[in-house]
Amino acid sequence: MTEVLKTAHTATVRAWVDGWVISRNAPRPVPVPWGLRVDVGLPGHVSRHIVAAPTPETLHRLTATLTTPGTWLKLCASAPDVSPFLPERWAVQDPEFMMTAPLTRSVFRAPPGYTLAVTTRAGVTAARLLTPAGEVAARGQFALAGRTAVVDQVETAGNHRRRGLGTVIMRTLVSTAASLGARTGVLVATAEGQALYETLGWTLHTPMTAAVLRSPTP
């Protein structure tokens, strides 16, 4: 019997992919038997295959047929669940976590010494905290996929961390998305980011494992 290693809600995964391609200005996802494929077309990131319900059979099929270095797998399962089924050439990346949250409007303001700027271009809304010199101290963005806001690329500059800037950026993105009609947020976080998002009411939807196909050893 086919064993599903981890199952995420297909609609949530699809919303995340739809928003991600807008956020990254990537081609629209293509439905494939195992999930979705995005032909990213970048060096080291040729394409990505997103699998909401990986099985040993699916992973065997993918790793046997995908041969282009720089191909990525994004699997909705933890690394211990999927690593035994990935050949050595597939380099497993650091753990990731798909998280969701209900979105509501709130009052927020920039911390003293920073200016908050919110802009929208080509379907992507970005929030930035700027220093008086115009340096970007923290930033993040989202794109809408229906009533879901896909939050992406949230980061704080090293010399501005531990000042609550990430919290301000997240609250800005959430409130702005809610004002545009979004009801749910979804993102994929690093382990470090997961700790912050949990304090802001985000919950784990599924662990994620990314693996990239390396070039053959000479």
Side-chain angles (χ1 to χ4, degrees):
M1 183 176 68
T2 298
E3 176 189 4
V4 176
L5 300 176
K6 184 69 179 181
T7 303
H9 295 305
T10 303
T12 300
V13 176
R14 177 62 195 248
W16 171 65
V17 177
D18 285 344
W20 186 91
V21 298
I22 297 172
S23 178
R24 303 296 180 98
N25 193 29
R28 290 188 58 81
V30 177
V32 287
W34 51 86
L36 296 166
R37 186 189 79 236
V38 178
D39 296 318
V40 182
L42 296 175
H45 197 163
V46 176
S47 64
R48 56 168 47 196
H49 298 256
I50 302 95
V51 186
T55 65
E57 290 79 6
T58 297
L59 295 179
H60 175 74
R61 177 183 175 187
L62 285 174
T63 57
T65 58
L66 299 176
T67 59
T68 304
T71 298
W72 285 73
L73 300 179
K74 301 289 283 191
L75 309 172
C76 294
S78 67
D81 284 336
V82 296
S83 294
F85 306 102
L86 298 175
E88 186 177 352
R89 280 186 60 197
W90 289 89
V92 175
Q93 308 300 295
D94 292 336
E96 297 177 326
F97 307 88
M98 182 176 288
M99 307 182 74
T100 59
L103 304 184
T104 58
R105 300 183 67 174
S106 63
V107 177
F108 52 86
R109 60 177 58 88
Y114 298 93
T115 300
L116 179 62
V118 180
T119 58
T120 300
R121 181 178 181 182
V124 180
T125 297
R128 298 178 297 159
L129 282 168
L130 307 173
T131 68
E135 174 192 6
V136 178
R139 71 169 312 281
Q141 63 192 50
F142 72 82
L144 295 180
R147 289 186 172 267
T148 300
V150 180
V151 177
D152 189 28
Q153 294 188 319
V154 177
E155 55 188 356
T156 301
N159 57 331
H160 294 276
R161 292 177 180 169
R162 301 189 182 279
R163 301 181 188 180
L165 304 190
T167 296
V168 173
I169 290 294
M170 285 298 297
R171 287 178 174 166
T172 302
L173 295 175
V174 164
S175 185
T176 304
S179 72
L180 295 175
R183 294 293 176 263
T184 303
V186 62
L187 57 79
V188 172
T190 63
E192 181 181 6
Q194 182 189 26
L196 167 63
Y197 304 139
E198 284 179 342
T199 67
L200 299 176
W202 292 70
T203 58
L204 177 66
H205 181 67
T206 177
M208 297 282 293
T209 298
V212 59
L213 183 59
R214 294 178 288 205
S215 298
T217 302

